[in-house]
Amino acid sequence: MTNPFDLTGRVALITGSSRGIGLALAGALGEAGAHVVLNARSADALDVAADRLRGEGLTVDVRAADVTDADAVEGMIDSIEADVGPIEILVNNAGMQDRTPVLDFPVDRFRTLLELNLVAPFVVAQAAARRMVGRGRGKIINIGSVQSELGRPTIVPYTASKGGLNLLTRGLCADLGPHGIQVNTLAPGYFATELTEELVDDDEFSAWVASRTPAGRWGRVEELGGAVVFLASDASSFVNGQTLFVDGGMTAVV
Ligand code: NDP
């Protein structure tokens, strides 16, 4: 019997995957058999991450590129398709946080955040989908957040970007679904990474996360693996335009 979660030989590009959630997602896809391509701006960090995954027996390539640079994205997609193989799975994971109360939030910082969290996923998805359409198949997974649905003080631009990303998923589903492409959002709750380091170290905030989450704790990045493999594989062949929260129940309760 074939395993619908098997990704053997499929090329998967994960943006922002030199550390944190992106690296964990890449590891999970690689464990399921995918040939993973790691991306980030720092080539050194990518080499360290790739060595780690190769040490676990995974097949890994790296492409250093800034996903907010459309020309660099086009070059990256071209070179992967030419040298690694057709991209079957794209995970738009690169993202940033910026915390300041709204009355003081400078608009130029809002624009910088939007470029990475919302415009870049569009640009990378567009470049990848142009190739996927001709092949009649492909999986695009956008990494959202509980802030794709819920607001929180001091992070208005992040919330707007992740809410926008949720609807970017649905819009892409409308345009690309007829071409055999599935586009979904994977929305993590609170996970300990460099992005959330300050919050993890803040006892009051950590206590709030524990009390607000039915699971009673922060998530561990490896707990996102099952969901990304599901969304990247044939197991989700009729799942399109959806948001899958992996948040210990946070968005299910008030
Ligand atoms: P990290 O800050 O730990 O990692 C970010 C990664 O993105 C790094 O590999 C970084 O490498 C890369 N990156 C940053 N800017 C760019 C760029 N312009 N081009 C290419 N790569 C870039 O973040 P997390 O792992 O915590 O978060 C990953 C995603 O998950 C984000 O979209 C975030 O919003 C989302 N998320 C995180 C949650 C959490 O609790 N941590 C919760 C919900 C969602 P480099 O700096 O070398 O480019």
Side-chain angles (χ1 to χ4, degrees), residues 200-211:
V200 176
D201 293 344
D202 178 338
D203 289 343
E204 201 180 321
F205 192 90
S206 277
W208 173 81
V209 168
S211 68

Side-chain angles (χ1 to χ4, degrees), residues 7-15 17 22-39 46 49-54 56-63 80 84-91 228-229 232:
L7 300 178
T8 300
R10 297 189 193 173
V11 175
L13 166 64
I14 306 96
T15 69
S17 49
L23 180 56
L25 299 177
L29 294 170
E31 286 289 340
H35 181 154
V36 297
V37 182
L38 305 182
N39 154 263
L46 281 174
D51 281 348
R52 188 173 127 191
L53 295 187
R54 288 187 191 116
E56 293 165 14
L58 309 188
T59 310
V60 185
D61 269 273
V62 299
R63 290 292 182 279
I80 296 169
V84 182
I87 299 169
E88 295 207 37
I89 301 157
L90 163 66
V91 183
V228 77
V229 169

Side-chain angles (χ1 to χ4, degrees), residues 135-215:
R135 300 189 282 260
R137 55 183 286 141
K139 299 278 194 175
I140 298 175
I141 301 159
N142 293 321
I143 303 305
S145 156
V146 296
Q147 273 83 41
S148 293
E149 288 288 344
L150 302 172
R152 213 183 133 63
T154 77
I155 55 169
V156 169
Y158 184 81
T159 306
S161 72
K162 292 296 185 181
L165 190 66
N166 219 15
L167 270 293
L168 180 75
T169 290
R170 293 181 190 174
L172 289 171
C173 163
D175 267 30
L176 300 176
H179 298 282
I181 298 169
Q182 286 94 52
V183 189
N184 291 290
T185 298
L186 171 54
Y190 284 84
F191 285 76
T193 66
E194 273 187 35
L195 189 82
T196 52
E197 211 167 19
E198 259 175 58
L199 305 179
V200 176
D201 293 344
D202 178 338
D203 289 343
E204 201 180 321
F205 192 90
S206 277
W208 173 81
V209 168
S211 68
R212 182 66 184 76
T213 308

